[in-house]
């Protein structure tokens, strides 16, 4: 799904296939002279959880709803900061430690807006996006619960 909010192109993809970070940055910035900063965040499946060794992680989503919810938050990011482009790619399926899960790219004329927008979007994805995670570990298989630390990070973006 690709569209524009104002003059800011926004790309949102939910997919099983891996992504290439350098390629995605090249696509975002191709022929653009108005971009002075690109901030990237890539989330990777890790092997160590707080309490157990993770063997695999399975991510599920609610098709259609997930894209719409991400779109709402990318629109909000574009309204809050002077962005020149946004890409959000979230993978679903079963992942082994070391594999890519999520990519957020934000582009702006200046770094501060790109950093803030990327952080805002990741805090949202971590706390509110309609994705469900199941961990396989030495301790067994369980659905991952939300963490208070993530909710606290997301709360700082709430407008009064």
């Amino acid at each position: 799904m690709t569209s524009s909010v104002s003059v800011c192109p926004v790309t949102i993809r939910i997919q099983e296939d891996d992504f290439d970070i350098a390629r995605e940055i090249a696509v975002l910035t191709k022929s653009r002279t108005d971009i002075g900063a690109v901030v990237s965040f890539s989330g990777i499946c890790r092997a160590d959880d707080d309490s157990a060794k993770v063997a695999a992680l399975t991510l599920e989503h609610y098709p259609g709803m997930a894209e719409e919810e991400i779109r709402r938050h990318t629109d909000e990011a574009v309204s809050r900061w002077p962005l020149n482009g946004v890409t959000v790619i979230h993978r679903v399926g079963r992942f082994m430690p070391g594999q890519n899960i999520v990519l957020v790219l934000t582009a702006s004329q200046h770094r501060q807006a790109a950093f803030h927008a990327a952080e805002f979007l990741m805090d949202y994805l971590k706390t509110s996006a309609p994705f469900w995670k199941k961990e396989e570990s030495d301790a067994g298989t369980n659905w991952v619960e939300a963490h208070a630390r993530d909710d606290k990070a997301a709360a700082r973006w709430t407008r009064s």
Side-chain angles (χ1 to χ4, degrees), residues 25 28-29 35-40 104-108 110-111 114-115:
I25 292 172
L28 181 64
T29 61
I35 294 173
V38 174
V39 169
S40 66
V104 171
L105 302 174
T106 53
S108 185
H110 303 285
R111 65 177 159 44
F115 274 115

Side-chain angles (χ1 to χ4, degrees), residues 51-149:
S51 59
K53 201 80 152 157
V54 175
L57 181 67
T58 299
L59 279 137
E60 297 179 3
H61 75 300
Y62 191 108
M65 177 190 272
E67 292 88 346
E68 280 302 312
E69 282 296 300
I70 294 170
R71 166 69 55 202
R72 264 186 349 99
H73 284 78
T74 58
D75 287 352
E76 185 171 346
V78 168
S79 75
R80 284 184 177 214
W81 294 282
L83 299 176
N84 298 72
V86 176
T87 298
V88 177
I89 302 171
H90 207 301
R91 295 180 65 203
V92 292
R94 188 169 184 265
F95 305 102
M96 306 304 289
Q99 291 184 309
N100 291 322
I101 297 174
V102 64
L103 176 65
V104 171
L105 302 174
T106 53
S108 185
Q109 286 186 320
H110 303 285
R111 65 177 159 44
Q112 190 173 31
F115 274 115
H116 288 313
E119 200 168 11
F120 167 82
L121 288 168
M122 275 313 306
D123 285 343
Y124 160 72
L125 286 170
K126 191 73 173 156
T127 59
S128 304
F131 291 93
W132 297 273
K133 295 188 247 181
K134 182 171 50 172
E135 279 185 350
E136 299 171 36
S137 71
D138 302 340
T141 300
N142 66 297
W143 291 99
V144 177
E145 297 286 327
H147 296 285
R149 67 180 178 262

